[in-house]
Amino acid sequence: MFSGKARAYTNIALIKYWGKENQELIIPMNNSLSLTLDAFYTETHVTFSEEITEDQFYLDNQLQDSKATLKVSRFLNVIRDKADCSLQAIVKSKNFVPTAAGLASSASGLAALAGAASAALDLTLSSEELSRLARRGSGSACRSVYGGFAEWQKGDSDESSYAVNIPSYGFEDDLSMIFVVVNDAQKDVSSRDGMQRTVETSAFYDGWLQTVPTDLAKAKQAIVEKDFTALGEVTEASALKMHGTTLAATPPFTYWSAESMKVMNLVRQIRSRGLPCYFTMDAGPNVKILVERKNEETLLRALKEQLGNQQLVVAHAGPAIEILTEEEVK
């Protein structure tokens, strides 16, 4: 019996990843850039045992169905092959984040699974190797191996597609991200299905893809120069362009809701009154607002005045993946 435990934090892409060049290996169509955050995370405990005949997957103390377990098993097979292990596993994960609601639970979840399973089988992996491995479970998980800013380099093969840390000289400590949770229910169109539909059918997709290298360069320069306005502007633009591609898919779809649009308009209004803040959205209706930490409380007050009882969650830069001892598991 071999056990391992890990905690991984969500990351939010500031320069978006949307679409796969290779579905099986999860090689993306473009590089992306993210910020790991401290507010949402996943803790996972993996035990490989001779006493069971099939993998078991528990999420938040609930035994999951065969469909959810199959995804975990396929990822575990990648790790088992690497470790030359034939044992089945019991996986127990706890999400401190709503699942499948556009709050990046797959990033933290699969990164934690990669870390825990690797620790259980005593695989000694570098950060880049663990990032490569996490990518095979969920693309965005490769960025959650790192704290702070990370860039997923798309590469052109399993070996060359992984995330790297972006030196920021403490800039991430100046930032806050406020999550406006307009809906924590499971979304109608999964990220995986939405990406594939967009890549295959959207008339806007190629145009968006051509803009990504320029946006990425702007974001990295903004980080080097600690230029919040430049980073905010390119973050918001990247999100709007990515979501625009879904409207031209066949059939068209959107992750926006009426509440999403209300929040985006509110951010623009607050910004026009002199408080710098910028929104981003992933594949879900919830809005994330990037703001300087010094303006966090002012923005929170303005949001509460307009949004009433809407759930607001404040996040700051989060740490890299953590391999846990038994005592550290919550």
Side-chain angles (χ1 to χ4, degrees):
M1 188 176 294
F2 309 95
S3 293
K5 308 109 194 165
R7 179 188 299 133
Y9 293 78
T10 60
N11 70 80
I12 296 298
L14 307 183
I15 305 301
K16 300 301 186 187
Y17 140 60
W18 193 243
K20 300 182 183 72
E21 192 172 273
N22 183 308
Q23 296 280 345
E24 180 182 356
L25 294 177
I26 313 185
I27 307 295
M29 296 289 285
N30 62 281
N31 286 28
S32 55
L33 185 151
S34 66
L35 178 63
T36 297
L37 299 168
D38 62 357
F40 304 118
Y41 58 94
T42 301
E43 290 180 351
T44 297
H45 183 182
V46 178
T47 302
F48 292 92
S49 174
E50 297 176 346
E51 299 176 2
I52 56 174
T53 58
E54 60 182 16
D55 292 327
Q56 299 171 22
F57 175 38
Y58 294 82
L59 179 60
D60 296 331
N61 300 317
Q62 296 292 318
L63 182 64
Q64 299 298 292
D65 62 20
S66 58
K67 181 179 179 181
T69 304
L70 180 60
K71 181 178 180 180
V72 169
S73 293
R74 285 174 174 166
F75 183 48
L76 287 174
N77 287 340
V78 175
I79 302 172
R80 281 187 279 244
D81 288 346
K82 186 179 286 289
D84 193 24
C85 171
S86 60
L87 298 177
Q88 303 301 294
I90 301 171
V91 176
K92 296 182 178 180
S93 283
K94 189 167 184 181
N95 260 347
F96 296 83
V97 49
T99 301
L103 292 177
S105 61
S106 62
S108 59
L110 273 299
L113 179 56
S118 298
L121 296 177
D122 204 24
L123 292 174
T124 304
L125 303 179
S126 67
S127 294
E128 289 183 1
E129 290 170 330
L130 185 57
S131 177
R132 280 181 50 212
L133 181 60
R135 189 203 77 239
R136 296 292 301 274
S138 171
S140 57
C142 76
R143 299 185 306 241
S144 280
V145 169
Y146 302 93
F149 293 105
E151 179 185 356
W152 179 8
Q153 300 174 338
K154 70 179 288 299
D156 56 13
S157 65
D158 182 33
E159 291 74 24
S160 60
S161 185
Y162 53 82
V164 296
N165 191 245
I166 297 176
S168 59
Y169 315 103
F171 181 43
E172 73 270 23
D173 296 329
D174 298 336
L175 306 177
S176 299
M177 188 170 281
I178 299 175
F179 288 67
V180 184
V181 184
V182 303
N183 185 351
D184 63 0
Q186 193 152 327
K187 58 203 177 193
D188 295 332
V189 181
S190 70
S191 300
R192 186 169 302 219
D193 292 343
M195 282 184 191
Q196 187 168 352
R197 188 190 306 181
T198 305
V199 171
E200 292 176 355
T201 68
S202 176
F204 297 163
Y205 187 75
D206 287 343
W208 170 72
L209 202 58
Q210 290 171 18
T211 71
V212 173
T214 300
D215 286 349
L216 187 66
K218 287 179 180 177
K220 291 167 77 171
Q221 187 66 26
I223 291 169
V224 168
E225 296 178 357
K226 298 187 178 183
D227 187 335
F228 174 75
T229 298
L231 182 62
E233 288 176 347
V234 75
T235 293
E236 191 170 294
S238 177
L240 287 170
K241 284 184 285 189
M242 186 207 89
H243 282 273
T245 65
T246 70
L247 300 175
T250 305
F253 66 101
T254 183
Y255 292 107
W256 296 1
S257 67
E259 284 298 314
S260 305
M261 297 183 71
K262 177 182 176 181
V263 175
M264 288 187 281
N265 286 331
L266 178 58
V267 171
R268 293 189 187 100
Q269 291 168 16
I270 294 171
R271 190 165 67 226
S272 71
R273 297 200 294 265
L275 198 164
C277 56
Y278 300 86
F279 62 78
T280 187
M281 292 178 64
D282 292 309
N286 301 301
V287 183
K288 298 91 177 176
I289 307 170
L290 191 65
V291 65
E292 290 173 285
R293 200 160 183 164
K294 66 184 181 182
N295 291 325
E296 176 188 304
E297 288 300 323
T298 304
L299 178 57
L300 275 172
R301 284 195 298 271
L303 292 172
K304 288 175 181 177
E305 285 176 7
Q306 297 296 320
L307 300 177
N309 295 325
Q310 199 85 63
Q311 184 183 359
L312 303 176
V313 181
V314 178
H316 303 114
I321 190 171
E322 302 164 357
I323 304 303
L324 305 175
T325 64
E326 191 74 43
E327 292 73 24
E328 291 176 297
V329 178
K330 292 183 180 180

